[in-house]
Amino acid sequence: MATHTATPQPAIPAPSNAATTAPDTGLAASDPGPSPASFGWLPAQTSHQLPSHITTSFEVMPPRNPQAAPKFWTTVKQLVDARPNFISVTYGAAGQDRRGARAVTEILARHVPTPPIAHLTCVGTSIEEITQIVTDYLDSGVRTFLALRGDPPVNKPGWSPADDALVRATDLIHLIREVDYKRSARSASLALQSALQPIRVAVATFPGGNPAAGTTPEAEVERLVHKQVAGADFAISQFSWHAAEFTRFVELARAAGVTIPIVPGILPPTQIRRVLRTQELTGVEASPEVLDALARADSPAQEERIGVRIAADLALELLDGGAPGVHLYTFNKAVPALAVMDIVANEHDA
């Protein structure tokens, strides 16, 4: 059985305004005090403001190297300033940057007001290691997890999980809750913290079926039922190019007894090459209509505007169809994601 040892953190510098200590203003006792804008965790005056009546969240991926860190944290600051309901931190392309994702998630939990969601997979990881990872996350202030089965290691066709490994997302849900329960039992203080901020466990679902697993929408509904029974609080869907696909999936899920919120994932198609690359990674076929629209762009700027409009129209249709909110896969690009929500805020009826 693998044992947990302290792992050096990747070189991902925290944002320069991560400190939470109030500045020394030198004001006299009679002065009214510092302006709220002097505190680094408050949004800039020029920041976008998300519509308060729409639950909005973003997904980011950790920077691939220290040189990309400043740009990454600028993106995160722009997203956080808009005050989303949460930010999820994925493992990056093909799920290969777990350490970077952990470092970013812990920084967000400690230093920003927007709660992060920690992605957690169980394939290829021992129970002891997962237990320690969950404990570390809880100690750093993370209270929400996205429980995923995960993909087998790449380029290892004969790979099989270890005897002590978890093999299903439902097992991971149980383990997360067990770790929190045992941690809370260690002291009255930890128990109070857990009562004040109960953990939440999200799960993934695939409205069009999961190409990687060869499942149909009906099979995905059945899996979602099991995840709900295991203790999932809400689900985030793989992106869809058509609102009708998501809406039909929700109808099937409700008919099967799923009651937890199901949040649709939206991928702003601002670059045709990104859309095709995502198709390659996920197996989700790119919409011909989307590809045709992007192909007509005569500049990168126009391509982005077209993609933003497509994503905004999809979000509006999903919300009109009863979706509880939207989850945007940003690919670490704040401007188009926020532009999508600007349109939604202006055109959606509360």
Side-chain angles (χ1 to χ4, degrees):
M1 178 181 293
T3 57
H4 176 81
T5 57
T7 304
Q9 291 299 315
I12 300 179
S16 59
N17 65 346
T20 56
T21 303
D24 180 6
T25 62
L27 294 174
S30 59
D31 287 332
S35 163
S38 65
F39 293 91
W41 46 262
L42 289 178
Q45 292 183 348
T46 57
S47 64
H48 292 251
Q49 292 300 302
L50 294 171
S52 60
H53 62 285
I54 299 173
T55 300
T56 307
S57 55
F58 302 112
E59 179 180 283
V60 298
M61 61 184 69
R64 295 181 180 180
N65 54 65
Q67 291 71 34
K71 183 178 180 180
F72 169 78
W73 287 114
T74 297
T75 294
V76 170
K77 181 66 165 62
Q78 290 175 300
L79 296 174
V80 168
D81 278 357
R83 292 300 186 259
N85 294 89
F86 64 83
I87 290 181
S88 71
V89 185
T90 187
Y91 287 161
Q96 297 180 19
D97 192 1
R98 297 187 182 191
R99 289 176 54 219
R102 285 180 59 188
V104 168
T105 302
E106 291 179 358
I107 289 171
L108 292 175
R110 293 180 185 277
H111 299 297
V112 305
T114 298
I117 289 188
H119 286 218
L120 196 60
T121 62
C122 56
V123 167
T125 310
S126 70
I127 292 176
E128 184 175 355
E129 185 177 358
I130 295 175
T131 298
Q132 188 61 57
I133 292 171
V134 173
T135 300
D136 291 344
Y137 270 138
L138 292 173
D139 289 345
S140 69
V142 174
R143 303 301 298 169
T144 310
F145 298 86
L146 179 59
L148 305 162
R149 177 184 180 274
D151 299 320
V154 295
N155 301 323
K156 293 184 179 181
W159 178 88
S160 61
D163 293 339
D164 66 337
L166 303 179
V167 296
R168 292 179 294 271
T170 50
D171 297 330
L172 184 54
I173 296 169
H174 287 302
L175 180 62
I176 292 169
R177 295 199 176 280
E178 179 183 356
V179 172
D180 181 63
Y181 176 80
K182 291 181 177 179
R183 179 178 180 271
S184 299
R186 284 171 20 207
S187 74
S189 178
L190 292 175
L192 177 58
Q193 291 177 23
S194 185
L196 290 171
Q197 290 185 297
I199 64 167
R200 297 287 182 257
V201 181
V203 293
T205 195
F206 300 80
N210 185 352
T215 57
T216 63
E218 290 75 14
E220 283 298 314
V221 167
E222 183 178 357
R223 290 187 174 195
L224 190 53
V225 170
H226 291 303
K227 292 174 182 178
Q228 175 178 273
V229 172
D233 294 295
F234 64 100
I236 301 173
S237 84
Q238 175 65 283
F239 64 88
S240 296
W241 295 115
H242 302 286
E245 179 179 73
F246 177 84
T247 303
R248 177 179 177 274
F249 178 79
V250 173
E251 291 172 351
L252 291 173
R254 299 295 180 237
V258 175
T259 58
I260 61 175
I262 305 173
V263 183
I266 295 177
L267 174 68
T270 55
Q271 294 176 312
I272 195 167
R273 64 174 181 83
R274 178 75 71 181
V275 173
L276 294 174
R277 174 59 175 160
T278 303
Q279 174 181 280
E280 179 183 340
L281 289 173
T282 65
V284 177
E285 290 290 333
S287 165
E289 295 84 0
V290 169
L291 294 176
D292 289 344
L294 294 175
R296 290 195 293 270
D298 57 15
S299 68
Q302 186 180 19
E303 189 179 23
E304 180 172 302
R305 286 194 297 270
I306 291 171
V308 164
R309 185 71 248 187
I310 289 172
D313 287 342
L314 178 58
L316 289 165
E317 189 174 354
L318 287 164
L319 292 167
D320 289 343
V326 291
H327 181 67
L328 278 75
Y329 299 102
T330 70
F331 284 103
N332 291 355
K333 293 185 178 297
V335 172
L338 293 171
V340 169
M341 294 313 300
D342 280 346
I343 296 174
V344 172
N346 290 329
E347 299 184 13
H348 178 63
D349 295 325

